[in-house]
């Protein structure tokens, strides 16, 4: 990992053990931007609506009507090893394995006007530019890069809803700002549906971009203002759809015409510049209207002080980072920890204007009543550790996220909670109905700033929506039959876990009928366990297991993003019974040992999605989520120390302070939340319960500043890279010999002390 | 006109002289539906948002990338001589010469499900049906037709924002309601941009249709509810744009799936029906949102009583018709008069939800503060007589229309008043800036329920917008040069008239600088008068008149929708000076006489737009607007009696009580407003002045019930088809010998008595 050196050089100062120190410097947005991490390096504030970040390519989603596999690496718009930047767009996902967004590409140029992006091989053929990592810098809420072709220094910062660009130009009588409304990430069938732009005056432009794609009916509105009046402007229309011309021919619509609409539009704004002159742009978003975008702009950044905007946003990051002060054994671990914090606080993102309005799933405008509306719920990923992490360190925001999910439910024509939702759309990505896990986890952890009984009703309705992904079969037969609905084992296992969550929540709320029904459903995982082979296995609608079955393959075997080895372990709600069924503790330990040590053929990796070779340890796939709890399962055997060394091994191997340091998609913070929990020494194996399984802390000390005003301290005495085994655990000075911590033990405040050793405690 | 007989038969009762009688019966929505009238026969209330009317074809705007001239006759969706109906859509223009709309086609069928419209030649090949005028009936706010193919009786009525369908089915286990979201009038490039539909439950469907076309960025929202739950439903997606499928494949999206979006969508809703069973549909529109459509629905028609809805709407019509009670010499004249009233009250249409929200030109949602927001301003047509008519009989609505135009101005990125606007869009159709005429006319007639000084500022800004249609040249040179901007004579003449309007308004408001500037501009018509030939003539930018020039042609001669013979007369603000310049009164009378009596070759008619052979009298073209004032110009000569006989001739020839009874496009009521004024005996030659030129009344008596509570009576003593000449005029019993009436003489109330004779008063 050759970039590691560069990263470390960028960290100019480093002080161990200082509290309230500058934590911003540890978070490095470039980590994960190479290969499979799918993070973006640009500027944003915690949970911000705007993610203003460079784009390094403009690939179409399809070529000749077929999926273009090369787009995959551009899920976040930027790949670290690319040599050119085509512009800076305002919306990005962090760490996803499918994509969308990339709204409103802005690019500064000088010299002859070029309205096409040009190619990577010949960036001077268009408005794109070569760049070098030697003159690129990223930190939370700040990104800088020298655009080499035209020697323009680009700097980006943001507030929640406003992107702030600062471009330092050479002297020129021919300087341009390109606004490319055609650019998009995963630009499916040139996915623009419509574009509308108004040049309100010589410093203000408003409009919207409507797309289909992963979000099927999506519109983002904007208001863009320049620090200096442009001297002229123009429009190029590349629409395939033929727009009615008629009496519009009265006008020269290409030049200085303020009233623009079409399917595929690019604009240019022209300036004279002095040497070193800075042209600044504030670019506000709104999910509702251009009027709201203007209000967001004027409310959030009413000035033109780029440094102030940068500092204001960085103070928000510092405040978030200070919620956990850690000390570690190395600078790289500090970087890993706070970069993980950074990644976990990138989303879900704000989806509400300063006036409280947002676009709902029904495409109507709603007023958020008493909560902040969030979007981008990658729930198949994030229910596992991200939302549990928020229940510890961001409970107010997590309760608002639940409110946002309940609003989605209210607006859903299916009356379903979100599956994978973003920007007023459900995209149905992946499987399960894991909203119920997020809601149950919040309820079980008493983070209930919402109507819990209504939330339970929403969970039950979701779990009973027969049209959805085999639920009808699941309700009738107790499992999803593979011949009726593929990935049937994964679905059955995850539905059963989700049902456990509903049961727990119902029990707490005194809803016994629901508790009974869903406790029974929570055992449905047993229906797909084939005792004859010791694995979960696809079952057919006639009740027999499918004969043809491959334990290693991830394709067509009844699973999704995981093989039988990994996914068969997915009974987080009841590992003890699962282990019993799988032959008991001894047998299970052998099984787990094999998982982590198997030597698999390269062919296996070629067909594993979303992860690099490095994302796999033996046959254990950390780069995808289904086995994220697996290393903790030793806790349910007689050899818990194997959890401890496996966790430390995974932390070391899968998270490194380099652009290619993430072994798989960060998945909207799930991978990073795993890092944080595991570094602190515990992990929520079954969200919806109040327990965290102990692992092995990788920090030296940690202080969690909780929203209730209390602090929870963690100390790992004698911890080192060698001393990975837990000899003893004390809570508030009293030894505890159970293998889990409860949520209230954290929220009550206090101190958890791990005594570490180089030898396992057998 | 063979349909005349049918019409007369439909009028079952007829009583002359009865006041407060049923006036509904005289208004026949079928008049103008054949050939060039471009009216629609369906149901609507006065100024209603919904125009629910049958469609008789589904032609595309283009065939093989070229304009399809056949669409022209479907501007209103229906042509009387067509043999089939393809469904009933909810939005229509009345009488336009270009088109748009046709939103949300609904069609009932029984038997095998057919999702394609089929063809006119073989209606049974699709969901369309043959029909016959023998079983078709139209009256204000009610339309009925038997759909012969499936023997379904269709009935339509409306409230302002809700269409109400009532379909009487035969017995069937296979009855369907088709909802075709693809259908559109002037379906330019299959002009759907996007479609979004939700099946909320088994009786309610919501969604929107977004189109480009004459309105470039237009979205109409709907809420549709059935009187009986459908037993199943389905979707056919004909989108050319490939929509992302992804995890949507989890669902069977074609059947009973409630969450639908795409570019080209049709749906079906299936029922079992008993013999004679009525299935009713209420279909609400909103320009803002589906939530507002639901609110409109529940507010306006909270019941399922079709007869009540019909009656409620007809009472609105009766109330409007009663504003002018006339007696005439024949049943046909009664029909013509009240049908003209009907056509004038079809628009501008309400464009605001019951909660006061509407979509603005800036595509933001606005709240109408103290006025009703209207849309569809066909101003090149309607400034002439329609808005002046409203200043007499609908002053409150007209002031709201001005407020709507001022809101348009506020929302315009050009800061221009509307030219031809509809549904939150400017389509720029035709020429001039005639909003200023409408505003000035309201101001001059003291119908000022708006900020008149702000309105004047808007007029001045509009008249000075250099980008618009040659205004830059006009400002610099005093005329539009034909080599720079075509139709330059028409533009120069109309700009000069509009400038007169601004000047009058400025004078009244004490804005002397504006008055002086625009009084000077109002004389610019002189710059295009070629004294050497006695006609207005295209002038080039070098100051010379164009050599090549044809007095008869309407194409390429510096005019639009008119030739030099007709258009040269367009100096309504100063006929006296014009006549002087054209050689004096005697010479001018000869000229006018020729206009009405020339025998022109057929070739001439072949190239005249928007009108039938019958729309032309000699060389006088009544079917287009530029010469609508021409017959009144005899008043400025020594032979005013020639105005009188010409007006009566035009009334007779151009307006007949038959489907093909209108000689040209009704043009959003302008043609009908001409009929009403002229029938009453006077006409606003120059809106923006307070004078009405006298003509020859065609009624016997008329009582105008004014909004100020006063009545203005007109009596035409001894009037008959022969007695068309005015011998004497008395106002309140006192003879007046001037040739005009003033507006205040009307609004003060009183009685105008014409004494008629068979001989001109020379």
């Amino acid at each position: 990992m050759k970039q590691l050196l560069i990263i470390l050089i960028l960290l100019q100062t480093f002080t161990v053990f200082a509290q309230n120190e500058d934590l911003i410097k540890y978070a490095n947005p470039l980590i994960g931007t190479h290969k499979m991490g799918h993070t973006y390096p640009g500027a944003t504030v915690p949970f911000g609506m705007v993610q203003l970040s460079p784009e390094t390519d403009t690939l179409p989603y399809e070529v000749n009507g077929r999926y273009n596999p090369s787009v995959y690496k551009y899920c976040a718009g930027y790949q670290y090893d690319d040599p050119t930047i085509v512009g800076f767009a305002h919306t990005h996902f962090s760490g996803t394995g499918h994509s969308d967004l990339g709204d409103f590409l802005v690019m500064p140029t000088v010299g002859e006007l070029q309205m096409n992006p040009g190619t990577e091989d010949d960036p001077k053929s268009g408005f794109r530019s070569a760049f070098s990592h030697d003159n690129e810098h990223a930190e939370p809420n700040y990104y800088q890069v020298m655009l080499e072709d035209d020697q323009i220094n680009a700097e980006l910062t943001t507030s929640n809803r406003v992107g702030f660009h600062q471009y330092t130009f050479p002297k020129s009588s021919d300087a341009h700002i390109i606004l490319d409304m055609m650019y998009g990430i995963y630009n499916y069938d040139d996915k623009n549906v419509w574009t509308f732009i108004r040049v309100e005056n010589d410093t203000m432009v408003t409009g919207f971009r409507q797309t289909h794609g992963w979000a099927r009916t999506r519109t983002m509105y904007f208001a863009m203002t320049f620090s200096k009046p442009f001297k002229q402007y123009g429009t190029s229309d590349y629409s395939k759809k033929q727009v009615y011309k008629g009496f519009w021919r009265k006008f020269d619509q290409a030049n200085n015409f303020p009233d623009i609409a079409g399917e595929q539009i690019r604009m240019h704004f022209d300036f004279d510049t002095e040497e070193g002159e800075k042209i600044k742009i504030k670019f506000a978003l709104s999910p509702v209207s251009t009027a709201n975008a203007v209000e967001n702009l004027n409310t959030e950044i009413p000035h033109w002080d780029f440094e102030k905007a940068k500092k204001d946003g960085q103070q928000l990051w510092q405040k978030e980072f200070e919620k956990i002060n850690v000390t570690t054994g190395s600078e790289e671990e500090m970087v890993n920890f706070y970069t993980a914090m950074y990644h976990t606080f990138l989303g879900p993102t704000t989806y509400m204007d300063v006036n409280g309005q947002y676009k709902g799933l029904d495409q109507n405008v709603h007023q958020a009543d008493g909560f902040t509306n969030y979007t981008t719920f990658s729930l198949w990923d994030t229910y596992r550790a991200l939302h549990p992490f928020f229940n510890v360190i961001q409970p107010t925001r997590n309760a608002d996220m639940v409110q946002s999910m309940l609003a989605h439910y209210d607006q859903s024509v299916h009356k379903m909670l979100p599956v994978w939702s973003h920007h007023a759309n459900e995209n149905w990505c992946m499987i399960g109905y894991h909203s119920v896990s997020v809601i149950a986890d919040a309820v079980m952890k008493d983070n209930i700033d919402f109507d819990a009984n209504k939330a339970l009703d929403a969970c039950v309705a979701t779990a009973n929506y027969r049209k959805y992904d085999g639920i009808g079969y699941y309700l009738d037969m107790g499992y999803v039959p593979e011949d009726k609905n593929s990935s049937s084992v994964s679905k059955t296992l995850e539905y059963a876990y989700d049902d456990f969550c509903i049961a727990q929540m119902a029990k707490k709320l005194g809803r016994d009928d629901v508790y009974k029904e869903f406790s029974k459903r929570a055992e449905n995982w047993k229906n797909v366990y084939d005792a004859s082979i010791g694995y979960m296995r696809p079952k057919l609608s006639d009740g027999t297991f499918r004969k043809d079955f491959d334990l290693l393959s991830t394709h067509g075997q009844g699973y999704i993003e995981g093989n039988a080895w990994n996914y068969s372990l997915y009974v987080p709600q009841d590992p003890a019974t699962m282990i019993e069924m799988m032959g008991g503790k001894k047998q299970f330990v052998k099984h787990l040992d094999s998982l982590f040590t198997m030597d698999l053929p390269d062919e296996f990796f070629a067909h594993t999605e979303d992860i690099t070779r490095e994302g796999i340890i033996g046959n254990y796939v950390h780069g995808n989520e289904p086995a994220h709890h697996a290393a903790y399962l030793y806790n349910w055997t007689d050899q818990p120390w194997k959890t401890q060394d496996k966790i430390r091994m995974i932390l070391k191997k899968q998270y490194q302070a380099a652009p290619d340091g993430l072994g798989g998609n960060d998945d909207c913070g799930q991978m990073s939340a795993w890092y944080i929990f595991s570094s602190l020494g515990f992990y929520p194996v079954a969200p919806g319960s109040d327990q965290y399984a102990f692992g092995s802390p990788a920090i030296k000390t940690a202080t969690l500043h909780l929203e209730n005003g209390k602090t929870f301290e963690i100390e790992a005495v004698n911890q080192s890279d060698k001393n990975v085994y837990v000899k003893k655990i004390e809570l508030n000075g009293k030894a505890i010999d159970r293998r889990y911590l409860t949520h209230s033990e954290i929220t009550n405040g206090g101190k958890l002390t791990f005594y570490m050793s180089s030898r396992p405690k057998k």
Side-chain angles (χ1 to χ4, degrees), chain A:
Chain A
M1 295 188 191
K2 59 183 186 293
Q3 289 85 11
L4 182 56
L5 187 64
I6 296 163
I7 304 297
L8 295 178
I9 288 168
L10 290 175
L11 301 167
Q12 290 155 338
T13 59
F14 181 71
T15 318
V16 184
F17 292 117
Q19 199 142 355
N20 293 328
E21 65 172 327
D22 170 20
L23 299 173
I24 300 290
K25 67 185 177 196
Y26 296 122
N28 184 344
L30 284 163
I31 291 174
T33 62
H34 194 189
K35 295 183 182 167
M36 291 293 180
H38 289 191
T39 57
Y40 59 84
T44 190
V45 297
F47 307 95
M49 182 185 288
V50 170
Q51 306 87 33
L52 178 53
S53 189
E55 316 296 307
T56 59
D57 221 308
T58 55
L59 296 177
Y61 184 77
E62 291 190 320
V63 174
N64 298 328
R66 302 190 62 152
Y67 170 70
N68 172 12
S70 302
V71 301
Y72 178 71
K73 65 178 182 169
Y74 294 105
C75 281
Y78 177 98
Q79 274 290 341
Y80 191 82
D81 57 348
D82 281 341
T84 68
I85 284 175
V86 72
F88 306 96
H90 293 79
T91 53
H92 296 84
F93 292 127
S94 178
T96 56
H98 194 87
S99 206
D100 202 348
L101 314 183
D103 298 303
F104 314 125
L105 188 83
V106 169
M107 184 69 174
T109 67
V110 296
E112 191 190 352
L113 180 65
Q114 292 172 303
M115 293 300 284
N116 279 293
T119 62
E120 184 179 287
D121 293 343
D122 181 13
K124 296 198 175 186
S125 65
F127 58 72
R128 81 169 69 205
S129 172
F131 79 108
S132 157
H133 298 303
D134 295 343
N135 203 339
E136 182 193 34
H137 179 70
E139 54 190 76
N141 201 36
Y142 180 68
Y143 175 85
Q144 172 272 326
V145 68
M146 174 59 74
L147 299 168
E148 293 179 353
D149 288 6
D150 294 340
Q151 289 297 305
I152 298 168
N153 191 45
E155 296 172 279
L156 311 174
T157 190
T158 70
S159 64
N160 191 333
R161 298 163 180 89
V162 184
F164 198 150
H165 308 237
Q166 177 166 275
Y167 298 118
T168 306
F169 281 83
K171 183 173 175 61
S172 173
S173 59
D174 210 11
H176 315 284
I177 302 285
I178 305 291
L179 171 62
D180 182 352
M181 303 286 287
M182 298 164 63
Y183 177 80
I185 295 174
Y186 271 42
N187 215 1
Y188 195 92
D189 190 29
D190 299 331
K191 71 186 178 193
N192 277 19
V193 169
W194 201 247
T195 300
F196 175 83
I197 307 175
R198 289 159 55 105
V199 182
E200 305 280 356
N201 55 47
D202 62 3
T203 56
M204 173 69 89
V205 183
T206 62
F208 66 76
R209 174 181 184 239
Q210 179 180 354
T211 58
H212 68 109
W214 206 22
R216 201 173 55 175
T217 302
R218 187 180 76 93
T219 304
M220 186 60 90
Y221 299 82
F222 75 90
M224 176 191 200
T225 182
F226 296 87
S227 59
K228 169 179 176 166
F230 39 82
K231 59 178 183 177
Q232 63 202 21
Y233 65 98
T235 303
S236 294
D237 187 343
Y238 301 88
S239 301
K240 286 182 293 186
K241 190 179 274 287
Q242 191 181 347
V243 175
Y244 170 77
K245 298 284 189 304
F247 282 91
W248 288 90
R249 292 195 189 89
K250 287 178 181 179
F251 300 103
D252 171 8
Q253 293 182 71
N255 296 297
N256 300 306
F257 188 70
D259 193 357
I260 302 131
E263 196 186 36
Q264 306 289 344
I265 302 282
R266 290 196 185 103
M267 295 196 69
H268 63 93
F269 302 90
D270 303 339
F271 301 84
D272 294 326
T273 53
E274 297 302 318
E275 180 66 33
E277 180 172 352
K278 289 176 167 55
I279 295 180
K280 304 175 197 181
I281 298 167
K282 293 185 291 193
F283 201 112
L285 303 186
S286 163
V288 170
S289 66
T290 60
N292 279 10
V294 170
E295 187 181 353
N296 291 341
L297 179 66
N298 294 335
T299 305
E300 291 197 346
I301 312 187
H303 57 76
W304 281 106
D305 186 340
F306 184 89
E307 288 304 318
K308 174 173 163 49
K310 173 186 171 188
K311 195 177 155 200
D312 288 349
Q314 291 196 327
Q315 280 174 348
L316 296 176
W317 278 114
Q318 174 72 12
K319 196 178 140 211
E320 295 300 337
F321 291 158
E322 283 175 3
K323 288 181 173 171
I324 306 183
N325 285 96
V326 298
T327 60
T328 66
S330 75
E331 184 169 323
E332 188 179 358
E333 284 171 340
M334 291 297 281
V335 169
N336 282 343
F337 192 90
Y338 285 104
T339 300
M341 289 271 279
Y342 176 77
H343 285 147
T344 58
F345 295 160
L346 291 178
T349 51
T350 305
Y351 196 66
M352 181 179 94
D353 293 318
V354 293
N355 63 11
Q357 291 186 329
Y358 67 98
K359 183 81 69 81
L361 187 63
D362 55 5
Q363 300 302 307
N364 285 314
V365 174
H366 296 266
Q367 185 77 29
D369 186 12
F371 69 101
T372 297
N373 190 60
Y374 290 96
T375 193
T376 305
F377 290 100
S378 179
L379 291 160
W380 183 80
D381 303 298
T382 58
Y383 80 91
R384 300 166 201 265
L386 184 73
H387 288 284
F389 176 54
F390 290 164
N391 275 327
V392 176
I393 213 72
Q394 298 278 9
T396 298
R397 280 201 168 92
N398 201 62
D400 280 2
M401 288 166 195
V402 170
Q403 295 235 51
S404 304
M405 290 158 62
L406 293 174
H408 174 116
Y409 170 81
D410 285 339
Q411 296 150 9
S412 161
V413 72
H414 307 279
K415 286 285 167 265
M416 279 193 80
L417 289 158
V419 172
W420 206 128
S421 65
H422 73 279
H423 290 210
N425 278 262
E426 174 59 81
N427 65 48
W428 303 112
C429 190
M430 294 305 292
I431 61 169
Y433 34 86
H434 302 303
S435 280
V436 310
S437 168
V438 174
I439 293 172
D441 198 55
V443 169
M444 296 308 288
K445 292 170 181 168
D446 290 317
N447 181 23
I448 318 179
D449 191 12
F450 50 84
D451 181 337
N453 271 293
K454 185 192 152 184
L456 178 61
D457 292 339
C459 291
V460 170
T462 302
N464 285 327
Y465 189 63
R466 298 180 67 95
K467 285 186 206 295
Y468 177 75
D469 221 7
I471 287 184
Y473 297 112
Y474 178 79
L475 293 180
D476 294 340
M477 308 171 75
Y479 63 97
V480 178
E482 179 68 16
D483 51 335
K484 299 293 184 186
N485 195 301
S486 63
S487 306
S488 63
V489 182
S490 293
K491 289 170 188 171
T492 302
L493 295 176
E494 295 189 11
Y495 293 166
Y497 158 72
D498 287 336
D499 292 343
F500 154 83
C501 292
I502 294 174
Q504 297 311 299
M505 190 178 163
K507 187 178 179 187
K508 178 157 181 172
L509 297 174
R511 300 270 292 271
D512 274 0
D513 51 337
V514 177
Y515 170 67
K516 279 176 191 148
E517 178 187 349
F518 280 84
S519 291
K520 189 157 173 289
R521 285 172 58 156
E523 295 186 27
N524 278 339
W525 62 273
K526 295 173 182 171
N527 296 332
V528 291
Y529 180 72
D530 181 358
S532 73
I533 59 169
Y535 290 88
M536 306 293 176
R537 180 171 185 169
K539 193 180 259 186
L540 304 177
S541 53
D542 64 5
T544 65
F545 287 107
R546 198 177 77 179
K547 290 208 171 62
D548 184 28
F549 182 49
D550 183 330
L551 290 173
L552 285 175
S553 171
T554 57
H555 292 279
Q557 305 305 317
Y559 296 100
I560 184 166
E561 293 204 10
N563 62 15
W565 268 91
N566 283 276
Y567 234 129
S568 281
L569 307 174
Y570 195 75
V571 189
Q573 68 272 35
D574 193 3
T577 304
M578 177 190 76
I579 289 167
E580 194 67 30
M581 284 180 75
M582 288 180 78
K585 293 178 179 175
K586 274 191 186 167
Q587 177 65 24
F588 187 74
V589 165
K590 279 187 202 165
H591 183 88
L592 268 190
D593 288 348
S594 299
L595 177 71
F596 285 102
T597 55
M598 290 172 82
D599 192 13
L600 289 179
D602 279 350
E603 186 197 333
F604 172 73
F605 301 102
H607 295 108
T608 302
E609 294 163 310
D610 295 357
I611 46 174
T612 59
R613 179 77 174 86
E614 291 78 21
I616 299 175
I617 299 168
N619 184 1
Y620 169 76
V621 178
H622 190 74
N624 283 329
E625 275 73 7
H628 269 193
H629 67 303
Y632 286 94
L633 292 178
Y634 286 109
N635 267 3
W636 277 262
T637 73
D638 297 329
Q639 302 183 32
W641 62 86
K642 287 187 174 169
T643 287
Q644 295 154 25
D645 57 28
K646 296 294 175 300
I647 294 303
R648 297 296 290 272
M649 174 181 68
I650 297 167
L651 285 170
K652 275 274 180 227
K653 283 202 175 186
Q654 299 291 315
Y655 301 86
Q656 296 176 353
D660 63 352
L662 298 182
N665 303 158
D666 194 60
D667 285 325
C668 298
Q670 165 57 24
M671 289 280 280
S672 291
W674 192 99
Y675 183 91
I676 295 167
F677 269 125
S678 293
S679 292
L680 296 177
F682 49 90
Y683 185 83
V685 165
S689 84
D690 67 343
Q691 297 179 7
Y692 302 88
F694 283 126
S696 169
I699 46 89
K700 287 193 176 298
T701 66
T703 306
L704 281 59
H705 301 280
L706 306 178
E707 281 188 9
N708 64 10
K710 298 187 177 171
T711 58
F712 185 68
E713 290 184 71
I714 302 166
E715 187 179 356
V717 178
N718 211 27
Q719 187 269 108
S720 72
D721 284 357
K722 280 189 181 169
N723 297 344
V724 302
Y725 296 106
V726 177
K727 204 162 58 177
K728 189 173 71 174
I729 302 176
E730 289 176 357
L731 181 65
N732 301 325
K734 282 180 154 178
I736 53 174
D737 62 358
R738 50 183 152 89
R739 296 177 187 170
Y740 62 89
L741 184 70
T742 68
H743 187 72
S744 58
E745 288 166 350
I746 299 173
T747 54
N748 288 339
K751 181 166 182 182
L752 182 70
T753 314
F754 294 90
Y755 294 89
M756 307 302 291
S757 163
S758 62
R759 282 165 303 165
K761 182 188 172 196
K762 298 198 177 179

